[in-house]
Amino acid sequence: MIENKSILGIRIDNFKDNIEEILDYLKYGKNVLIISLDVHQLLKIRYNKKLKEIIKNASLVIAAHPSIAKAYKFIHKEEINYINEFILFSKIMDYIENKNMSMFLFGDEEKYFFTISEKIKKIYPGIYMLGNYQNTKNKEELDKAFIGFKKIEPDVFLIHMGLKKSLYWFNNNKQNLEMKFCIPFKKPLDSFAGKIKPPSMEILNKDRNERFFLKKNIFRIFLYFNYTRFWILVFFEKITSKKNK
């Protein structure tokens, strides 16, 4: 159902079923970590041995950009599903609501928790919000929080932090968690918090969200160099794999 391969040494999953069927398959596990990667995140993780290992051990790693899907086909000669982070967020939230699951919000910025929670309640009234908690470096406070998490037993632990920090946090604390799904999301929850304006569905469906965010922040133009770098690395990986054969 889920085939694990890699691009630039980083695991990317291929699956033929729709995301709802995949979630049905995974929901019987414990602390199922679901990750989506775009080109920028993939390049940042490439030289980080620890993060690569965490991603390798995740339950599901989804390509979040068409360039990754094209690179996957170029290297492995196979088609792969990719899902934009905003669309993935919407699909997962729809699934959680349809299954009447409970959710707990965890992150760094408590000032946004109320706004995010209220937005979730409004758009997805079938989701039962159990509460929220701000991340802390105080071990005693965190240990007490873990006791509370286990008592309320949320089905979904939604993490509002950057991917790198989310992965480190999950890896360091997974032994204290007992949920079905642990899912880090940044941009979609930032949009719920009012920190950014989300792209329209028309923009997302046409894969024009990069241009959308570029118009909001002209300095994002420098991120376009990442695509050139990405394809150069993919090309060399393809050549290397041919030579090894």
Side-chain angles (χ1 to χ4, degrees), residues 9-43:
I10 298 170
R11 173 184 163 190
I12 296 292
D13 291 342
N14 191 10
F15 49 91
K16 303 302 180 185
D17 303 289
N18 61 46
I19 190 64
E20 291 79 11
E21 291 172 319
I22 295 295
L23 293 173
D24 268 338
Y25 171 73
L26 294 173
K27 71 179 180 181
Y28 298 104
K30 174 185 174 183
N31 298 337
V32 170
L33 178 63
I34 298 175
I35 302 166
S36 66
L37 293 177
D38 62 24
V39 170
H40 313 300
Q41 292 166 332
L42 190 146
L43 289 175

Side-chain angles (χ1 to χ4, degrees), residues 30-82:
K30 174 185 174 183
N31 298 337
V32 170
L33 178 63
I34 298 175
I35 302 166
S36 66
L37 293 177
D38 62 24
V39 170
H40 313 300
Q41 292 166 332
L42 190 146
L43 289 175
K44 284 181 180 179
I45 291 167
R46 184 168 181 257
Y47 295 108
N48 190 314
K49 185 177 179 181
K50 185 64 177 179
L51 289 178
K52 286 170 70 174
E53 186 65 22
I54 295 171
I55 289 173
K56 180 181 177 181
N57 293 320
S59 300
L60 182 63
V61 184
I62 300 172
H65 195 277
S67 290
I68 296 178
K70 291 174 183 176
Y72 190 98
K73 184 177 181 180
F74 179 63
I75 293 171
H76 300 296
K77 297 181 179 179
E78 295 177 18
E79 298 284 349
I80 186 176
N81 291 319
Y82 75 90

Side-chain angles (χ1 to χ4, degrees), residues 169-186:
W169 189 91
F170 173 83
N171 190 65
N172 292 335
N173 298 288
K174 60 186 177 182
Q175 70 277 5
N176 295 311
L177 300 173
E178 291 184 8
M179 296 95 179
K180 284 188 175 70
F181 297 111
C182 289
I183 313 173
F185 275 117
K186 187 69 171 70

Side-chain angles (χ1 to χ4, degrees), residues 5-211:
K5 289 191 177 180
S6 67
I7 295 177
L8 307 184
I10 298 170
R11 173 184 163 190
I12 296 292
D13 291 342
N14 191 10
F15 49 91
K16 303 302 180 185
D17 303 289
N18 61 46
I19 190 64
E20 291 79 11
E21 291 172 319
I22 295 295
L23 293 173
D24 268 338
Y25 171 73
L26 294 173
K27 71 179 180 181
Y28 298 104
K30 174 185 174 183
N31 298 337
V32 170
L33 178 63
I34 298 175
I35 302 166
S36 66
L37 293 177
D38 62 24
V39 170
H40 313 300
Q41 292 166 332
L42 190 146
L43 289 175
K44 284 181 180 179
I45 291 167
R46 184 168 181 257
Y47 295 108
N48 190 314
K49 185 177 179 181
K50 185 64 177 179
L51 289 178
K52 286 170 70 174
E53 186 65 22
I54 295 171
I55 289 173
K56 180 181 177 181
N57 293 320
S59 300
L60 182 63
V61 184
I62 300 172
H65 195 277
S67 290
I68 296 178
K70 291 174 183 176
Y72 190 98
K73 184 177 181 180
F74 179 63
I75 293 171
H76 300 296
K77 297 181 179 179
E78 295 177 18
E79 298 284 349
I80 186 176
N81 291 319
Y82 75 90
I83 310 174
N84 177 277
E85 185 181 12
F86 283 92
I87 294 176
L88 176 64
F89 176 77
S90 178
K91 288 179 177 291
I92 289 178
M93 296 297 281
D94 283 338
Y95 176 86
I96 294 168
E97 181 179 37
N98 291 334
K99 298 295 182 179
N100 298 120
M101 288 181 166
S102 60
M103 178 182 289
F104 192 91
L105 177 62
F106 182 86
D108 282 332
E109 300 175 288
E110 187 177 18
K111 62 183 178 180
Y112 295 115
F113 286 172
F114 178 78
T115 305
I116 292 172
S117 298
E118 290 301 304
K119 194 76 175 283
I120 290 174
K121 290 176 185 177
K122 181 179 179 180
I123 300 176
Y124 305 99
I127 295 176
Y128 184 38
M129 292 296 297
L130 291 174
N132 52 67
Y133 191 83
Q134 180 170 316
N135 186 27
T136 176
K137 294 181 180 179
N138 187 308
K139 189 177 183 305
E140 290 185 8
E141 289 184 13
L142 200 55
D143 287 341
K144 290 178 182 177
F146 286 133
I147 294 172
F149 298 158
K150 289 178 181 179
K151 284 182 179 179
I152 60 176
E153 295 183 336
D155 294 315
V156 181
F157 200 69
L158 197 61
I159 305 177
H160 181 213
M161 293 192 291
L163 182 66
K164 180 178 177 180
K165 190 169 184 179
S166 296
L167 295 181
Y168 277 132
W169 189 91
F170 173 83
N171 190 65
N172 292 335
N173 298 288
K174 60 186 177 182
Q175 70 277 5
N176 295 311
L177 300 173
E178 291 184 8
M179 296 95 179
K180 284 188 175 70
F181 297 111
C182 289
I183 313 173
F185 275 117
K186 187 69 171 70
K187 280 185 181 178
L189 290 178
D190 279 348
S191 72
F192 272 25
K195 293 178 67 177
I196 63 171
K197 183 180 178 180
S200 67
M201 286 304 298
E202 181 182 2
I203 290 173
L204 291 173
N205 288 329
K206 292 181 179 179
D207 292 317
R208 292 178 179 171
N209 50 300
E210 289 280 3
R211 296 179 190 176

